[in-house]
Amino acid sequence: MKKYIMILMMAFGTAVAHEMTPTYPKLETSHVNGIYKTTMEMFNKRKDVEWYEIGVFDNEWKPIPFVSSYKIIQLQYLGHVKFDIYIRADDKNRATYVCSKSKLRREDSTKTAVSSRICSKFK
């Protein structure tokens, strides 16, 4: 019986998360020597979340230093934002993923909530 309930929940339930594009961003030279840049865009499909954290990681999920106008982004429901990410030339070949993770408010902790993480892989 539990098996059928789970199948029904998966068939009729909807998963809602945020989106980040492009899926496979390219690092290109920036206007500063020794610095590479890519432009990302995020779209928020979650009514319950309005804050997102940006991170850059290597293939072992270790953080890589980067610079952006935003490291924590406030993004309203159905809102979108474009942002640039800058990485040093020394880290260019180590950078594998750029990710955004939803940040849940502590006051909403009484509700059951799921944090979502979306990652794009550098080409």
Side-chain angles (χ1 to χ4, degrees):
M1 185 62 160
K2 288 182 184 180
K3 181 179 172 181
Y4 296 114
I5 292 172
M6 289 299 291
I7 291 171
L8 284 173
M9 286 175 62
M10 289 183 350
F12 294 107
T14 58
V16 179
H18 62 286
E19 293 179 6
M20 189 167 64
T21 57
T23 305
Y24 298 101
K26 291 181 182 179
L27 285 169
E28 300 173 347
T29 56
S30 72
H31 63 283
V32 179
N33 283 342
I35 303 294
Y36 285 81
K37 165 190 155 177
T38 191
T39 301
M40 303 297 296
E41 186 168 1
M42 271 184 45
F43 178 71
N44 183 12
K45 290 185 180 180
R46 292 186 63 172
K47 288 182 182 181
D48 62 330
V49 177
E50 62 182 54
W51 295 96
Y52 294 90
E53 181 178 9
I54 305 300
V56 177
F57 302 93
D58 67 10
N59 62 349
E60 295 179 355
W61 294 101
K62 294 179 183 171
I64 290 182
F66 72 99
V67 174
S68 179
S69 297
Y70 310 99
K71 286 201 179 184
I72 303 273
I73 297 174
Q74 184 176 18
L75 190 56
Q76 300 297 324
Y77 174 61
L78 298 180
H80 70 280
V81 65
K82 280 188 177 183
F83 57 96
D84 294 326
I85 292 178
Y86 297 91
I87 298 174
R88 295 180 306 180
D90 294 344
D91 295 325
K92 178 183 181 269
N93 293 328
R94 288 188 327 122
T96 305
Y97 304 103
V98 56
C99 301
S100 57
K101 181 180 177 183
S102 59
K103 304 297 281 180
L104 304 175
R105 287 185 170 186
R106 188 170 292 250
E107 64 212 33
D108 293 339
S109 62
T110 57
K111 299 178 189 175
T112 302
V114 176
S115 178
S116 58
R117 178 190 235 177
I118 305 293
C119 294
S120 295
K121 188 173 184 178
F122 289 112
K123 281 189 172 182

